Structures are given as C-alpha cells and as structure tokens.
Amino acid sequence: MASLTPLAFAALDLLNEAPMHPYEMFQTMVHRQEERNVKVRPGTLYHQVGRLAELGLAEVVGTDRDGNRPERTTYRITAAGRTALAEGLRRMVAEPADEYPEFHLALSVLENLPHDEAVDAVRARIVALEHERDEYDRAVERVRAKQLSDRYWLDVSYVRAMLQAQIEWLSTTVERIARGDIPWDGPAVPHQTSTNSKEPTR
C-alpha cells in the first residue's frame, strides 16, 4: 500500500467518522483547528481525497447540488481504508520517526551567535512558547467545558505538555548561558588551547 501524506491520513480519519464531501471535510478541519497538526488547503485536500479513492481506501457514494453551486461528491471510507487507517496509526504511535526540526539544528550551532545575542534569542523564543502554551490552555478549557472525553483531545494535552517542557528546559539553559556557567568562548574541549578547535564529539 502506498504511503499516505499527513493530509490524506487526516482525511481518512474524517471519513471514518461519516461520509463527507471534501468541502465539508475542509470546514470540519478548520473548525477543529487541524492546522495545528497538518497543513490544510482546499485544493490539496480535494486532490488527496481523490487519491484515496484511486487507492481504494475511499469510494464515491453520491453527488448533490445546492442551488447554483457546483456539484459536490460525497465519499465514504472502505474496508481497505479502515485497515490502512489502523495500520498507519499503529506505526505512527509505536515507531518513532526520523524528524528534523529546524530548532534542533539551531541549537547545535547556537555558539555561532555572540553571547548576548544567543541569550536574547532564546529568551524571545521562551516568550513565544509561553504565548503558544497559553493558547493551548484556553483550548483545554474549551474542550473541558464541552465535557469532551479525554481521548478526543490527547493531541492538545500532549502538545501543551511538550511546550511546558521546552519552556522549562530553555529557561534553565538560558540562565546558565547568561551566568557564564556554559562558557561562550575558548576551545570546544576544555584542555585544548588552540583557538581553531571546533571539533567536539556530539
């Protein structure tokens, strides 16, 4: 079975809830703020739903027209689609994927910034993360107000926890840098004296 893009996988999940036409799927994703997890664009979504049908993971169940609007095609998930959804979920949850976040790269070469600029940049990131964490706190309040079962917003809870962990680690680290506990000049390895010795073993 061909691998699914994140958007196709999200579309398959929606079709597992109920038959829908792509525009309804797009509206649902926007309402649920799925852009937190996947890039959602109407044209791309239409293409991905068509791809699901080509792969036999979804099928057309009918078309309808509302006034002068274009005809809308409704799709539903197939048995093969449910199998692909379950298999994909098991793999994504159980097997850590190779991911290359931009910030990890930035941290690995942060020493290229002057000391004060590095401190200012990290502190600015902390402020941005705190704002993002606060937004997730409001999202948690909304879903709790709806008495929605925890299993439907595990992603919100997870991201909020990861944001808090980042804030705590960065806050501790930036203070170590600011105090000089993490030296910002000199050789990469303390016993080396050469000024051209950036060859640490990471």
Side-chain angles (χ1 to χ4, degrees):
M1 177 62 66
S3 60
L4 300 179
T5 67
L7 182 57
F9 193 85
L12 198 60
D13 171 61
L14 282 179
L15 292 178
N16 195 42
E17 294 183 20
M20 298 184 192
H21 53 73
Y23 183 69
E24 181 182 6
M25 295 166 73
F26 173 72
Q27 288 180 313
T28 302
M29 287 182 174
V30 171
H31 176 70
R32 295 179 180 176
Q33 297 181 313
E34 289 293 338
E35 67 273 9
R36 296 191 308 256
N37 302 318
V38 63
K39 187 174 182 179
V40 182
R41 295 291 183 273
T44 309
L45 178 60
Y46 275 73
H47 174 77
Q48 293 299 320
V49 173
R51 179 64 175 154
L52 290 175
E54 291 175 4
L55 292 171
L57 305 181
E59 63 186 3
V60 175
V61 292
T63 59
D64 63 81
R65 184 188 299 274
D66 184 7
N68 294 325
R69 293 180 179 179
E71 209 170 60
R72 290 177 176 172
T73 302
T74 298
Y75 296 82
R76 69 182 174 194
I77 195 170
T78 63
R82 290 191 179 89
T83 298
L85 180 63
E87 289 178 350
L89 272 172
R90 281 192 289 268
R91 176 183 54 78
M92 288 190 291
V93 172
E95 302 174 12
D98 289 328
E99 298 173 343
Y100 305 96
E102 181 181 79
F103 185 57
H104 290 186
L105 172 61
L107 280 177
S108 73
V109 294
L110 186 61
E111 76 275 4
N112 288 289
L113 285 179
H115 176 272
D116 290 349
E117 290 185 24
V119 169
D120 288 346
V122 174
R123 285 177 172 162
R125 183 179 185 88
I126 291 170
V127 171
L129 290 175
E130 287 173 338
H131 286 312
E132 190 173 350
R133 179 201 57 196
D134 292 345
E135 289 179 4
Y136 273 85
D137 283 341
R138 288 189 285 273
V140 169
E141 290 174 3
R142 288 194 297 270
V143 294
R144 282 179 174 162
K146 295 177 181 178
Q147 299 184 328
L148 189 65
S149 175
D150 287 6
R151 72 180 185 273
Y152 289 105
W153 52 281
L154 289 174
D155 61 321
V156 176
S157 177
Y158 171 79
V159 173
R160 200 276 178 197
M162 293 302 100
L163 286 169
Q164 184 60 35
Q166 285 188 65
I167 290 166
E168 291 175 2
W169 185 87
L170 288 170
S171 296
T172 299
T173 301
V174 78
E175 291 311 311
R176 292 179 62 207
I177 295 172
R179 288 194 306 263
D181 295 347
I182 300 177
W184 216 247
D185 52 23
V189 179
H191 67 266
Q192 293 179 346
T193 57
S194 171
T195 57
N196 186 23
S197 57
K198 185 185 175 184
E199 295 180 356
T201 300
R202 297 188 186 276

